[in-house]
Amino acid sequence: MKNKILKSFLIFVVLFLFSCGEKVTSGSDIYTCPMHPQIEMDHEGECPICGMTLVKKEPVIHSEHKKNGMEGESQNPDSFFLSEEKQKLIGVETTFVKKGEILKTVSFSGKVAYDPELYSTYNEYRVVTGGNESERMIRKSIKSKLTKLGVSESQLSYLSHQSENLLLTGRSKNLVLVFVQVYEGELSEVNKGTKMEVVVDSIPNLTFPGKVVALGDLVDETTRTLSVWCEVNDPGNRLKPQMFLQASAKVEKKNVLRIPRESVFPTGKREIVYVKDSENQFIPRSIHTGFVSTEWVEVLEGLEEGEEIVAKANFLLDSEAKLKLGGIHDTHNH
């Protein structure tokens, strides 16, 4: 009988505690590591993983109390409260999501054209006109070989309007053909007509202007690059076949949704920004990014124009989020 009475009393206490809308915690203080929130101790000390000084963990206030006006106005379960004093202490600065342009410079390595194998194969292809069935078969076979060498239709078209020995001399009057190697991840940023600037270590203080005239079709399995052909203006006849060079292109995207690059916090699993939900309330949000420069990041998904986000102090803010949300911002995709 006593056991039944005790059991009923305990059930009543548990139900009463949960009805308050707060997490049931012990009365003692809990200390945790800003970088490793899984570390929790009932006393001050150092993190056994990284050695950082443990800080007192603030109690988690659940949504029932938030509705009553405690710790900010947001009712998002993944938001966290940060007082104005603490924002000033860690140097939080905010900005608004807007549309604008993103400009960046992309660099590539390359060399002045010189390819005897391609020269020989292409000349065979040029000579065989394909007038009868036999020649058409031969021409088809040679074109297949050119394809294996990575030559695209646009490159074949370009060569058809040039002198026969271009692939040996690299030159057509004042224009020089340059082979530039573009990594597969940067192919979307280079197109036919893209302007290039070329510099050579052996020719200091001189820049050669040029443009992309044709793109290849084959990505090298070792270097993961694709050959892009550029015409470069060289009236002084300074550039020689096989001379190594560095090329660069200024790539621009206009009227895109952009945010400062330093506002993006990479977690290792995804990229996160901190949205200011109210005066003292912040929400970590996962985003998908596109075009990136040294200053700006294009936002493809996750933010809308006009939203206010944290522009600086993300590292310290992330530590606060880990303390108060227990790393939830790194496991959910909002």
Side-chain angles (χ1 to χ4, degrees), residues 149-165:
L149 291 174
V151 179
S152 66
E153 289 291 342
S154 66
Q155 289 171 334
L156 281 176
S157 177
Y158 172 77
L159 289 174
S160 67
H161 296 90
Q162 306 301 321
S163 62
E164 295 181 9
N165 61 352

Side-chain angles (χ1 to χ4, degrees), residues 74-140:
S74 174
Q75 295 185 21
N76 189 310
D78 294 341
S79 69
F80 63 96
F81 175 85
L82 196 64
S83 68
E84 186 175 348
E85 293 76 15
K86 202 156 194 178
Q87 291 180 48
K88 292 180 179 178
L89 181 64
I90 65 176
V92 172
E93 295 182 17
T94 63
T95 188
F96 291 94
V97 182
K98 297 179 181 179
K99 287 186 177 181
E101 65 177 26
I102 303 178
L103 178 66
K104 73 172 181 178
T105 301
V106 188
S107 298
F108 317 97
S109 60
K111 66 178 182 178
V112 179
Y114 178 76
D115 193 328
E117 182 181 7
L118 181 54
Y119 166 78
S120 175
T121 306
Y122 178 71
N123 272 344
E124 290 179 19
Y125 179 77
R126 189 199 295 260
V127 169
V128 180
T129 60
N132 54 50
E133 182 65 24
S134 176
E135 287 185 342
R136 284 196 292 270
M137 292 296 293
I138 294 173
R139 187 177 173 86
K140 184 177 179 180

Side-chain angles (χ1 to χ4, degrees), residues 22 61 78 98 100 117 128 144 162 173 178 183-184 206 217 238 246 274 321-322 324:
E22 289 188 25
I61 306 296
D78 294 341
K98 297 179 181 179
E117 182 181 7
V128 180
S144 177
Q162 306 301 321
K173 297 182 180 180
V178 168
Y183 285 103
E184 56 183 328
L206 190 60
D217 277 341
R238 293 172 176 266
Q246 292 293 319
Y274 287 93
K322 285 181 178 178
K324 297 182 178 183

Side-chain angles (χ1 to χ4, degrees), residues 112-283:
V112 179
Y114 178 76
D115 193 328
E117 182 181 7
L118 181 54
Y119 166 78
S120 175
T121 306
Y122 178 71
N123 272 344
E124 290 179 19
Y125 179 77
R126 189 199 295 260
V127 169
V128 180
T129 60
N132 54 50
E133 182 65 24
S134 176
E135 287 185 342
R136 284 196 292 270
M137 292 296 293
I138 294 173
R139 187 177 173 86
K140 184 177 179 180
S141 175
I142 298 173
K143 187 174 181 180
S144 177
K145 184 178 180 180
L146 287 169
T147 301
K148 291 180 181 179
L149 291 174
V151 179
S152 66
E153 289 291 342
S154 66
Q155 289 171 334
L156 281 176
S157 177
Y158 172 77
L159 289 174
S160 67
H161 296 90
Q162 306 301 321
S163 62
E164 295 181 9
N165 61 352
L166 175 66
L167 294 171
L168 292 180
T169 65
R171 178 173 294 276
S172 176
K173 297 182 180 180
N174 290 334
L175 295 177
V176 173
L177 180 62
V178 168
F179 296 158
V180 173
Q181 303 305 312
V182 177
Y183 285 103
E184 56 183 328
E186 298 173 331
L187 289 176
S188 61
E189 299 171 5
V190 178
N191 300 290
K192 185 176 180 180
T194 298
K195 292 182 179 179
M196 289 273 188
E197 289 187 345
V198 168
V199 295
V200 182
D201 289 341
S202 58
I203 311 174
N205 304 319
L206 190 60
T207 300
F208 301 88
K211 66 177 181 179
V212 175
V213 292
L215 286 79
D217 277 341
L218 183 65
V219 175
D220 187 279
E221 63 179 354
T222 303
T223 63
R224 310 310 305 170
T225 61
L226 181 142
S227 181
V228 172
W229 291 4
C230 303
E231 275 186 350
V232 175
N233 192 30
D234 177 31
N237 196 25
R238 293 172 176 266
L239 300 176
K240 309 300 180 184
Q242 292 201 93
M243 186 175 280
F244 287 107
L245 52 87
Q246 292 293 319
S248 62
K250 291 183 178 179
V251 186
E252 181 182 30
K253 293 194 73 173
K254 295 183 177 180
N255 198 34
V256 296
L257 202 64
R258 67 179 192 181
I259 57 177
R261 186 169 181 173
E262 57 186 333
S263 66
V264 181
F265 191 90
T267 68
K269 297 179 181 178
R270 56 182 59 89
E271 293 178 308
I272 284 176
V273 296
Y274 287 93
V275 179
K276 189 171 184 179
D277 191 43
S278 62
E279 191 63 29
N280 299 315
Q281 208 79 21
F282 298 88
I283 302 173

Side-chain angles (χ1 to χ4, degrees), residues 8-22 24:
S8 299
F9 177 75
L10 290 174
I11 293 173
F12 172 79
V13 171
V14 171
L15 291 173
F16 175 78
L17 290 173
F18 274 101
S19 68
C20 294
E22 289 188 25
V24 179

